[in-house]
Amino acid sequence: MKLRFLFLIAFLLHAVGAWPLSFVTPEQFGAYGDGVTDDSPAFGACIRSGLPIRLKDRALYALHSQLPRISGSSFELQGRGATVIIDNDYPVEEYDEIFAFDDEGIHREKYCVSNLKIECRLGEKFPDFYHTGDTYLLCSRNCKKTIIQRVDFIDKGWHNNVSFLVVTGGDLYMSDCDIVSHSASRMGGAVWVMDKCSDHVSVFMKRVTIDYDTLDECFCLAVDALSSLPTVG
């Protein structure tokens, strides 16, 4: 309680410009990190702050309720070895997005996720899993630079397809990632790169493994101008 009170004072001082904050943590907004309790409200508060989000080492954050969209020019999630669990009761619709900017038409600077494990437990959400759209987990749209480093993603549920990453425009730097996605869906892909919002797309990938057992694309490039071909390995 004392730590939360001190953080509240610091946050108020930051709001008036007297004490700049460099990052926020879910724990400062009441997160438990036990893998069971819904930490979505704490994550939502972190996202609304507009500051980099720093997770606790080896914590397990369960997300049961919908997160707000990212409104700032940049998004940074520092996992520090923590695990984020997208639980089965997380509300999604067709072509939904989870960690995503709020307006596709606005140019953004940076989208960065690092040192994080993500477990997807969404399960089957729609009755016709052969013809429904994706749920996009990490969504970087119209962003100058997207950096995904040391991120592991596992999804072995019976679902309508969850795409790990979608990037539209800008540069994608992806390294040291392990993606496991097993789906019954006939639509979507683990990683999407498209140039809908930009005339320039660069893809740099190093030490990326994708274990993808489904009926559609694993890695999808839908671009007109690709300045560098990706290397996956």
Side-chain angles (χ1 to χ4, degrees):
M1 181 64 71
K2 184 177 180 180
L3 287 175
R4 292 181 187 175
F5 178 72
L6 291 175
F7 172 75
L8 177 60
I9 294 176
F11 194 81
L12 291 173
L13 289 172
H14 167 71
V16 298
W19 188 354
L21 295 176
S22 58
F23 65 88
V24 291
T25 71
E27 285 73 20
Q28 291 168 336
F29 296 100
Y32 286 84
D34 58 8
V36 178
T37 307
D38 185 14
D39 288 329
S40 302
F43 268 72
C46 288
I47 290 172
R48 292 187 189 95
S49 76
L51 295 171
I53 303 170
R54 182 175 294 182
L55 305 187
K56 184 178 180 180
D57 183 24
R58 291 187 290 274
L60 302 174
Y61 300 97
L63 304 182
H64 297 266
S65 50
Q66 196 166 42
L67 297 178
R69 295 299 180 98
I70 304 160
S71 60
S73 62
S74 297
F75 173 69
E76 184 174 354
L77 180 59
Q78 305 168 7
R80 305 180 75 206
T83 299
V84 170
I85 302 169
I86 312 297
D87 220 330
N88 184 54
D89 54 359
Y90 189 95
V92 294
E93 299 177 356
E94 291 186 55
Y95 304 105
D96 214 343
E97 301 175 342
I98 298 181
F99 288 97
F101 289 116
D102 58 359
D103 188 343
E104 186 174 335
I106 298 177
H107 290 275
R108 314 287 181 165
E109 290 297 318
K110 185 176 71 171
Y111 185 104
C112 181
V113 179
S114 63
N115 200 19
L116 180 67
K117 181 177 180 181
I118 303 173
E119 292 185 17
C120 183
R121 303 177 182 176
L122 282 176
E124 185 179 346
K125 290 294 182 181
F126 313 111
D128 182 6
F129 57 85
Y130 286 109
H131 301 287
T132 52
D134 298 286
T135 296
Y136 300 112
L137 181 61
L138 303 181
C139 309
S140 177
R141 298 190 182 278
N142 206 15
C143 197
K144 185 181 298 184
K145 183 179 293 185
T146 301
I147 303 171
I148 309 296
Q149 294 179 324
R150 299 182 305 279
V151 177
D152 294 341
F153 171 74
I154 184 167
D155 180 9
K156 293 186 177 181
W158 189 264
H159 53 73
N160 299 96
N161 194 64
V162 176
S163 292
F164 165 68
L165 172 68
V166 59
V167 176
T168 58
D171 298 334
L172 168 62
Y173 300 86
M174 191 173 179
S175 64
D176 301 289
C177 295
D178 187 12
I179 302 169
V180 179
S181 183
H182 295 178
S183 169
S185 175
R186 293 184 185 272
M187 295 188 67
V191 177
W192 286 82
V193 180
M194 298 173 279
D195 65 348
K196 288 183 176 180
C197 301
S198 172
D199 58 0
H200 173 82
V201 176
S202 296
V203 181
F204 305 90
M205 304 182 74
K206 187 175 182 180
R207 294 185 298 274
V208 176
T209 61
I210 302 177
D211 178 1
Y212 194 66
D213 181 13
T214 189
L215 302 172
D216 203 358
E217 303 98 337
C218 171
F219 184 90
C220 181
L221 289 172
V223 299
D224 293 326
L226 184 67
S227 64
S228 62
L229 292 176
T231 300
V232 180

